Amino acid sequence: MPEYLLKIRRFDPTSGEAAYWDEHSVELGERNSVLDAILKVRDEVDGSVGIRCSCQQAICGSCGVRMNGKPGLACNTHLQVAAARGHGIGWNPPEGGPVGMIEVEPMGNMPVIRDLIVDMDAVHWKKIQRVTPYLINQQPVPDREYIVPHENMVDVTQTMACIQCGACVSDCLSMEIDPLFIGPAALAKAYRFVGDPRDADHFERLKDLSEDEHGIYDCTHCFNCIDACPKDVAPMSQIMRLRRRAGSDEKIVDRNNGHRHEDAFVTLVRDYGLLNEAELLPRSYGGNSWFAKFHPAAGKELLSSLSTVITGVLRGKMSPKIALFGHKLPKADLDSLKGIFTKIESRPKRVELNLYISGYEDDPEPVAVASVSEAGVRAQSASSESETS
Amino acid sequence: MKVAYWPGCVSRGFTPELHGSMAKVAPLLDLELIELDRAACCGAGVIAEHNQELADTLNARTFALAQQTDGALMMNICSTCQGAQSECQERLDANTEYRAQINQNLADEGLVYERGLTNKNLLWLLVEEIGLDTLTAKVTRPLTNLKVGPFYGCYIVRPAERLHIDEEHQRDRYMHMVIEALGGTVIDYAGVYKCCGFPIITMNKQASLAMAGRHIGDAIDADADCLVVPCPLCHLNLDLQQPQAARQVGRELGLPVLHLPQLVGLALGLEPKELGMSKHVVKPTSVIDWSASVVAGAPA
């Protein structure tokens, strides 16, 4: 059997001592899990190693840790896979470290209780509570069971796969800088109810999460949560769906400039074909029109960024022509683009493909929910959902 | 090698030095660029957030235009474009019915996207098509003693599966490899794979600038002379916004940030000015001093 060097980060915040690495040589099969190795150490060498675990089948979500820098469940990560991984992301063995070395650390963005156990209550569960994580029934409640259209339940299937392990919270780069960010797990949970036709408070939920300055518009699109999730929930994609519902469907103009930014971006690409940054900025603050630059909110922002703008102009980063008129595609192409925009934007139902549901044609098996017959090509709109609810 | 070249919007807008430096470097790499001057913005994830079909159609149009050229593949110089386009392409390639529906949107122009386009950022092209040995052979001014911090950002390294990062394609190490192939010294620091903060600059400016400031500070603490980025949006937050980021994190910064083709161009013998480095907000003094001393020390 191969031998692995298991390095466990040990820390007891009540001890007054600094954290340290505890090294153990463990002989186990390549397809044993990292949790098997940790438990072997705990059972045979040092009973004081702190690790939370229960089902050992990737269902309970208890054993979230970082393995060679990447968050995940210790119970469904093979030793061979963890050892082959480089630090951060990727597949290279850690530089300078022996092949077969696995560093196990507690998850990030949450305080450590002891060793590999983090305080999920202090961060993860608190944020889950923040998004009202339960269904608020439409009234009056029907006498018999509520029949939910299949299409709607398929839509929220992906978020329902979440096992609350906290791996996405661990490596959220927005939360690392802004600990108040509601975060990927809780926002994915929010979509579970926003996408459910039985819930009565879609608009209130979306308004709340748009207006919160640490809400849906605080996500940076870093994709860390998508890579971290052991259940393919893709929390970032759920956040983007919340934005789509809030902005495109409910037209919620939030105080964080989230919807204005999106609206201006789409309009500018329609009108210019290319992004016109000089127009995008004032419109993100002052509203989606050429006159936005004269809006007090845009003026205030321009004033606070004046030194940046002046330096940029002086260095020749932006020519006056680009700053004033932007760059445009040839007229024939712009006409074609306008046709495309009109055709798509005027559809009564939005067309979306979710590969989590449809799977990939070349795959022997779809990723999940093999029973969906529509091949995942699904149309949805706020209006269609309100009809069904 | 002939490639269908997608420069993106920002390289022709607020970071003109990126497009300009690519044009200078291309002939030295034996690259013939066929610019896709009819293609539209990739949407940067924002249009997909608004309407997925719209984003997929705009990018399918770009791919179809690329397939009309005789380029061996499509190349971009913006990792945000790479990420946004890879996401759309993943959907288009995964489902025939969906692809047909998107192609319907292009029918008026007579355009069709055929499954299986190869679209590579310059970074991937350097390693996988040109090759590190060939690149090293072209170096006339090795980046000896230049300590370069790679800043990958997000879109070119995540999600790993979609971007085909695996044991065969260690794309998350390519910037390290290129810096070394050019003779430079790689500086590893905490921010190598983190987010520059640009996507939330208009939504949460403080957090955005704090991200940029922290990563630049970490690179300075690790003794980097400069950073190199494969993405013009990262460049905007790390260079254009650097003075504001410094105020946000309450420390002096002043670390030059180079675009990938600029770094390659320096090693291939081009002058900092012709690579547009005078357009940077943080004057790349340390890099220029290094370049001057290397030139002065070079045998006649």
CSV table of all heavy atoms in Angstrom, one decimal, chain A residues 303-345:
chain,number,residue,atom,x,y,z
A,303,LEU,N,-16.1,62.7,-9.0
A,303,LEU,CA,-15.3,63.6,-8.1
A,303,LEU,C,-14.3,62.7,-7.3
A,303,LEU,O,-13.1,63.1,-7.2
A,303,LEU,CB,-16.2,64.4,-7.2
A,303,LEU,CG,-15.7,65.8,-6.8
A,303,LEU,CD1,-15.5,66.6,-8.0
A,303,LEU,CD2,-16.7,66.4,-5.8
A,304,SER,N,-14.8,61.7,-6.7
A,304,SER,CA,-14.0,60.8,-5.9
A,304,SER,C,-12.9,60.1,-6.7
A,304,SER,O,-11.9,59.7,-6.1
A,304,SER,CB,-14.8,59.9,-5.0
A,304,SER,OG,-15.1,58.7,-5.8
A,305,SER,N,-13.2,59.9,-8.0
A,305,SER,CA,-12.2,59.2,-8.8
A,305,SER,C,-11.4,60.1,-9.7
A,305,SER,O,-10.7,59.7,-10.6
A,305,SER,CB,-12.9,58.2,-9.7
A,305,SER,OG,-13.7,57.3,-8.9
A,306,LEU,N,-11.6,61.5,-9.4
A,306,LEU,CA,-11.0,62.4,-10.4
A,306,LEU,C,-9.5,62.2,-10.6
A,306,LEU,O,-9.0,62.3,-11.7
A,306,LEU,CB,-11.2,63.9,-9.8
A,306,LEU,CG,-11.2,65.0,-10.9
A,306,LEU,CD1,-12.2,64.6,-12.0
A,306,LEU,CD2,-11.6,66.3,-10.3
A,307,SER,N,-8.8,62.0,-9.5
A,307,SER,CA,-7.3,61.8,-9.6
A,307,SER,C,-7.0,60.6,-10.5
A,307,SER,O,-6.1,60.6,-11.4
A,307,SER,CB,-6.7,61.6,-8.3
A,307,SER,OG,-7.2,60.5,-7.6
A,308,THR,N,-7.8,59.5,-10.4
A,308,THR,CA,-7.6,58.4,-11.3
A,308,THR,C,-7.8,58.7,-12.7
A,308,THR,O,-7.1,58.3,-13.6
A,308,THR,CB,-8.6,57.2,-10.9
A,308,THR,OG1,-8.4,57.0,-9.5
A,308,THR,CG2,-8.3,55.9,-11.6
A,309,VAL,N,-8.9,59.4,-13.0
A,309,VAL,CA,-9.3,59.8,-14.3
A,309,VAL,C,-8.2,60.7,-14.9
A,309,VAL,O,-7.8,60.4,-16.1
A,309,VAL,CB,-10.7,60.5,-14.3
A,309,VAL,CG1,-11.0,61.0,-15.7
A,309,VAL,CG2,-11.8,59.6,-13.8
A,310,ILE,N,-7.8,61.7,-14.2
A,310,ILE,CA,-6.8,62.6,-14.7
A,310,ILE,C,-5.5,61.9,-15.0
A,310,ILE,O,-4.9,62.0,-16.1
A,310,ILE,CB,-6.5,63.8,-13.7
A,310,ILE,CG1,-7.8,64.7,-13.7
A,310,ILE,CG2,-5.3,64.6,-14.1
A,310,ILE,CD1,-7.8,65.7,-12.6
A,311,THR,N,-5.1,61.0,-14.1
A,311,THR,CA,-3.8,60.3,-14.4
A,311,THR,C,-4.0,59.4,-15.6
A,311,THR,O,-3.1,59.3,-16.5
A,311,THR,CB,-3.5,59.3,-13.2
A,311,THR,OG1,-3.6,60.1,-12.0
A,311,THR,CG2,-2.1,58.8,-13.2
A,312,GLY,N,-5.1,58.7,-15.7
A,312,GLY,CA,-5.4,57.9,-16.9
A,312,GLY,C,-5.3,58.7,-18.2
A,312,GLY,O,-4.7,58.2,-19.1
A,313,VAL,N,-5.9,59.8,-18.2
A,313,VAL,CA,-5.9,60.7,-19.4
A,313,VAL,C,-4.5,61.1,-19.7
A,313,VAL,O,-4.0,61.1,-20.9
A,313,VAL,CB,-6.9,61.9,-19.3
A,313,VAL,CG1,-6.7,62.8,-20.4
A,313,VAL,CG2,-8.3,61.4,-19.2
A,314,LEU,N,-3.8,61.6,-18.7
A,314,LEU,CA,-2.4,62.1,-18.9
A,314,LEU,C,-1.5,61.0,-19.4
A,314,LEU,O,-0.6,61.3,-20.2
A,314,LEU,CB,-1.9,62.7,-17.6
A,314,LEU,CG,-2.5,64.0,-17.1
A,314,LEU,CD1,-1.9,64.4,-15.8
A,314,LEU,CD2,-2.3,65.1,-18.2
A,315,ARG,N,-1.7,59.8,-18.9
A,315,ARG,CA,-0.8,58.7,-19.4
A,315,ARG,C,-1.2,58.2,-20.8
A,315,ARG,O,-0.6,57.3,-21.3
A,315,ARG,CB,-0.9,57.6,-18.4
A,315,ARG,CG,-0.3,57.9,-17.0
A,315,ARG,CD,1.2,57.9,-17.0
A,315,ARG,NE,1.7,58.8,-16.0
A,315,ARG,CZ,1.8,58.4,-14.7
A,315,ARG,NH1,1.4,57.3,-14.3
A,315,ARG,NH2,2.2,59.3,-13.8
A,316,GLY,N,-2.3,58.7,-21.3
A,316,GLY,CA,-2.8,58.2,-22.6
A,316,GLY,C,-3.5,56.9,-22.6
A,316,GLY,O,-3.6,56.2,-23.6
A,317,LYS,N,-4.0,56.5,-21.4
A,317,LYS,CA,-4.7,55.3,-21.3
A,317,LYS,C,-6.1,55.4,-22.1
A,317,LYS,O,-6.6,54.4,-22.6
A,317,LYS,CB,-5.1,54.9,-19.8
A,317,LYS,CG,-3.9,54.2,-19.1
A,317,LYS,CD,-4.3,53.6,-17.8
A,317,LYS,CE,-4.7,52.2,-18.0
A,317,LYS,NZ,-3.7,51.3,-18.5
A,318,MET,N,-6.6,56.6,-22.0
A,318,MET,CA,-7.8,56.8,-22.8
A,318,MET,C,-7.7,58.1,-23.6
A,318,MET,O,-7.4,59.1,-23.1
A,318,MET,CB,-9.0,56.8,-21.8
A,318,MET,CG,-8.9,57.7,-20.6
A,318,MET,SD,-10.0,57.3,-19.3
A,318,MET,CE,-8.9,56.6,-18.1
A,319,SER,N,-7.9,57.9,-24.9
A,319,SER,CA,-7.9,59.1,-25.8
A,319,SER,C,-9.2,59.9,-25.6
A,319,SER,O,-10.2,59.3,-25.2
A,319,SER,CB,-7.7,58.7,-27.2
A,319,SER,OG,-8.9,58.0,-27.6
A,320,PRO,N,-9.2,61.2,-25.8
A,320,PRO,CA,-10.4,61.9,-25.7
A,320,PRO,C,-11.5,61.4,-26.6
A,320,PRO,O,-12.7,61.3,-26.2
A,320,PRO,CB,-10.0,63.3,-26.1
A,320,PRO,CG,-8.5,63.4,-25.9
A,320,PRO,CD,-8.0,62.0,-26.1
A,321,LYS,N,-11.1,60.8,-27.8
A,321,LYS,CA,-12.1,60.3,-28.7
A,321,LYS,C,-12.8,59.1,-28.1
A,321,LYS,O,-14.0,59.0,-28.1
A,321,LYS,CB,-11.4,59.9,-30.0
A,321,LYS,CG,-12.3,59.5,-31.1
A,321,LYS,CD,-11.6,59.3,-32.4
A,321,LYS,CE,-12.5,58.4,-33.3
A,321,LYS,NZ,-11.9,57.3,-33.9
A,322,ILE,N,-12.0,58.2,-27.5
A,322,ILE,CA,-12.6,57.0,-26.9
A,322,ILE,C,-13.4,57.4,-25.7
A,322,ILE,O,-14.5,56.9,-25.5
A,322,ILE,CB,-11.4,56.0,-26.5
A,322,ILE,CG1,-10.8,55.3,-27.7
A,322,ILE,CG2,-12.0,55.0,-25.5
A,322,ILE,CD1,-11.6,54.2,-28.3
A,323,ALA,N,-12.9,58.3,-24.9
A,323,ALA,CA,-13.6,58.7,-23.7
A,323,ALA,C,-15.0,59.4,-24.1
A,323,ALA,O,-16.0,59.1,-23.4
A,323,ALA,CB,-12.8,59.7,-22.9
A,324,LEU,N,-15.0,60.1,-25.2
A,324,LEU,CA,-16.2,60.8,-25.5
A,324,LEU,C,-17.2,60.0,-26.4
A,324,LEU,O,-18.4,60.0,-26.2
A,324,LEU,CB,-15.9,62.1,-26.3
A,324,LEU,CG,-15.3,63.3,-25.4
A,324,LEU,CD1,-14.9,64.4,-26.3
A,324,LEU,CD2,-16.3,63.7,-24.4
A,325,PHE,N,-16.6,59.2,-27.3
A,325,PHE,CA,-17.5,58.6,-28.3
A,325,PHE,C,-17.4,57.0,-28.2
A,325,PHE,O,-18.3,56.3,-28.8
A,325,PHE,CB,-17.1,59.0,-29.7
A,325,PHE,CG,-17.2,60.5,-29.9
A,325,PHE,CD1,-16.1,61.2,-30.1
A,325,PHE,CD2,-18.5,61.1,-29.9
A,325,PHE,CE1,-16.1,62.6,-30.2
A,325,PHE,CE2,-18.5,62.5,-30.0
A,325,PHE,CZ,-17.4,63.2,-30.2
A,326,GLY,N,-16.5,56.5,-27.5
A,326,GLY,CA,-16.4,55.0,-27.4
A,326,GLY,C,-15.9,54.4,-28.7
A,326,GLY,O,-15.6,55.1,-29.6
A,327,HIS,N,-15.9,53.1,-28.7
A,327,HIS,CA,-15.6,52.5,-30.0
A,327,HIS,C,-16.8,51.6,-30.4
A,327,HIS,O,-17.5,51.1,-29.6
A,327,HIS,CB,-14.3,51.6,-29.9
A,327,HIS,CG,-14.1,50.8,-28.7
A,327,HIS,ND1,-13.0,50.2,-28.3
A,327,HIS,CD2,-15.0,50.5,-27.7
A,327,HIS,CE1,-13.1,49.6,-27.1
A,327,HIS,NE2,-14.3,49.8,-26.7
A,328,LYS,N,-16.9,51.5,-31.7
A,328,LYS,CA,-18.2,50.9,-32.2
A,328,LYS,C,-17.8,49.9,-33.3
A,328,LYS,O,-16.8,50.0,-34.0
A,328,LYS,CB,-19.0,52.0,-32.9
A,328,LYS,CG,-20.1,52.6,-32.0
A,328,LYS,CD,-21.0,53.5,-32.9
A,328,LYS,CE,-22.0,54.2,-31.9
A,328,LYS,NZ,-22.9,55.1,-32.6
A,329,LEU,N,-18.7,48.9,-33.5
A,329,LEU,CA,-18.6,48.0,-34.6
A,329,LEU,C,-19.1,48.7,-35.9
A,329,LEU,O,-19.9,49.7,-35.8
A,329,LEU,CB,-19.4,46.8,-34.3
A,329,LEU,CG,-18.9,45.8,-33.3
A,329,LEU,CD1,-19.8,44.5,-33.2
A,329,LEU,CD2,-17.5,45.4,-33.5
A,330,PRO,N,-18.8,48.2,-37.1
A,330,PRO,CA,-19.3,48.7,-38.3
A,330,PRO,C,-20.9,48.7,-38.3
A,330,PRO,O,-21.5,47.8,-37.6
A,330,PRO,CB,-18.8,47.8,-39.4
A,330,PRO,CG,-17.6,47.1,-38.8
A,330,PRO,CD,-17.8,47.1,-37.3
A,331,LYS,N,-21.5,49.6,-39.0
A,331,LYS,CA,-22.9,49.7,-39.0
A,331,LYS,C,-23.7,48.4,-39.3
A,331,LYS,O,-24.7,48.1,-38.7
A,331,LYS,CB,-23.4,50.9,-39.9
A,331,LYS,CG,-24.9,51.2,-39.7
A,331,LYS,CD,-25.3,52.4,-40.4
A,331,LYS,CE,-26.8,52.6,-40.2
A,331,LYS,NZ,-27.7,51.5,-40.4
A,332,ALA,N,-23.2,47.7,-40.3
A,332,ALA,CA,-23.9,46.5,-40.7
A,332,ALA,C,-24.0,45.5,-39.6
A,332,ALA,O,-25.0,44.8,-39.3
A,332,ALA,CB,-23.2,45.9,-41.9
A,333,ASP,N,-22.9,45.4,-38.8
A,333,ASP,CA,-22.8,44.5,-37.7
A,333,ASP,C,-23.7,45.0,-36.6
A,333,ASP,O,-24.4,44.1,-35.9
A,333,ASP,CB,-21.4,44.3,-37.2
A,333,ASP,CG,-20.5,43.6,-38.3
A,333,ASP,OD1,-20.8,42.4,-38.5
A,333,ASP,OD2,-19.7,44.3,-38.9
A,334,LEU,N,-23.7,46.3,-36.4
A,334,LEU,CA,-24.6,46.8,-35.3
A,334,LEU,C,-26.0,46.5,-35.6
A,334,LEU,O,-26.8,46.2,-34.7
A,334,LEU,CB,-24.4,48.3,-35.2
A,334,LEU,CG,-23.2,48.8,-34.3
A,334,LEU,CD1,-23.1,50.3,-34.3
A,334,LEU,CD2,-23.2,48.2,-32.9
A,335,ASP,N,-26.4,46.6,-36.9
A,335,ASP,CA,-27.8,46.4,-37.3
A,335,ASP,C,-28.1,44.9,-37.0
A,335,ASP,O,-29.2,44.6,-36.5
A,335,ASP,CB,-28.0,46.7,-38.8
A,335,ASP,CG,-28.0,48.2,-39.0
A,335,ASP,OD1,-28.1,48.9,-38.1
A,335,ASP,OD2,-27.8,48.6,-40.2
A,336,SER,N,-27.2,44.0,-37.3
A,336,SER,CA,-27.4,42.6,-37.1
A,336,SER,C,-27.6,42.3,-35.6
A,336,SER,O,-28.5,41.6,-35.1
A,336,SER,CB,-26.2,41.7,-37.6
A,336,SER,OG,-26.1,41.9,-38.9
A,337,LEU,N,-26.7,43.0,-34.8
A,337,LEU,CA,-26.8,42.8,-33.3
A,337,LEU,C,-28.1,43.3,-32.8
A,337,LEU,O,-28.7,42.6,-31.9
A,337,LEU,CB,-25.7,43.6,-32.6
A,337,LEU,CG,-24.3,42.9,-32.7
A,337,LEU,CD1,-23.3,43.8,-31.9
A,337,LEU,CD2,-24.2,41.5,-32.2
A,338,LYS,N,-28.5,44.4,-33.3
A,338,LYS,CA,-29.8,44.9,-32.8
A,338,LYS,C,-30.9,44.0,-33.1
A,338,LYS,O,-31.8,43.7,-32.3
A,338,LYS,CB,-30.1,46.3,-33.4
A,338,LYS,CG,-29.4,47.4,-32.6
A,338,LYS,CD,-29.6,48.8,-33.1
A,338,LYS,CE,-28.7,49.7,-32.3
A,338,LYS,NZ,-28.3,50.9,-33.0
A,339,GLY,N,-30.9,43.3,-34.3
A,339,GLY,CA,-31.9,42.3,-34.6
A,339,GLY,C,-31.9,41.1,-33.6
A,339,GLY,O,-32.9,40.7,-33.2
A,340,ILE,N,-30.7,40.7,-33.3
A,340,ILE,CA,-30.5,39.6,-32.3
A,340,ILE,C,-31.1,40.0,-31.0
A,340,ILE,O,-31.8,39.3,-30.3
A,340,ILE,CB,-29.0,39.2,-32.2
A,340,ILE,CG1,-28.5,38.5,-33.5
A,340,ILE,CG2,-28.8,38.4,-31.0
A,340,ILE,CD1,-27.0,38.3,-33.5
A,341,PHE,N,-30.7,41.2,-30.5
A,341,PHE,CA,-31.2,41.7,-29.2
A,341,PHE,C,-32.7,41.7,-29.2
A,341,PHE,O,-33.4,41.3,-28.3
A,341,PHE,CB,-30.6,43.1,-28.9
A,341,PHE,CG,-29.3,43.1,-28.2
A,341,PHE,CD1,-28.2,42.8,-28.8
A,341,PHE,CD2,-29.2,43.3,-26.8
A,341,PHE,CE1,-26.9,42.7,-28.2
A,341,PHE,CE2,-28.0,43.3,-26.1
A,341,PHE,CZ,-26.9,43.0,-26.8
A,342,THR,N,-33.3,42.3,-30.3
A,342,THR,CA,-34.7,42.5,-30.3
A,342,THR,C,-35.4,41.1,-30.3
A,342,THR,O,-36.4,40.9,-29.5
A,342,THR,CB,-35.2,43.2,-31.6
A,342,THR,OG1,-34.4,44.4,-31.6
A,342,THR,CG2,-36.6,43.5,-31.6
A,343,LYS,N,-34.9,40.2,-31.1
A,343,LYS,CA,-35.5,38.8,-31.2
A,343,LYS,C,-35.5,38.2,-29.8
A,343,LYS,O,-36.5,37.6,-29.4
A,343,LYS,CB,-34.7,38.0,-32.2
A,343,LYS,CG,-35.3,36.6,-32.4
A,343,LYS,CD,-34.4,35.9,-33.5
A,343,LYS,CE,-35.0,34.5,-33.7
A,343,LYS,NZ,-34.2,33.8,-34.8
A,344,ILE,N,-34.3,38.2,-29.2
A,344,ILE,CA,-34.2,37.4,-27.9
A,344,ILE,C,-34.9,38.1,-26.8
A,344,ILE,O,-35.6,37.5,-26.0
A,344,ILE,CB,-32.7,37.2,-27.6
A,344,ILE,CG1,-32.1,36.3,-28.6
A,344,ILE,CG2,-32.5,36.7,-26.1
A,344,ILE,CD1,-30.6,36.2,-28.5
A,345,GLU,N,-34.8,39.4,-26.7
A,345,GLU,CA,-35.4,40.2,-25.6
A,345,GLU,C,-37.0,40.2,-25.7
A,345,GLU,O,-37.6,40.5,-24.7
A,345,GLU,CB,-34.9,41.6,-25.5
A,345,GLU,CG,-33.4,41.7,-25.4
A,345,GLU,CD,-32.9,42.0,-23.9
A,345,GLU,OE1,-33.2,41.2,-23.1
A,345,GLU,OE2,-32.2,43.0,-23.7
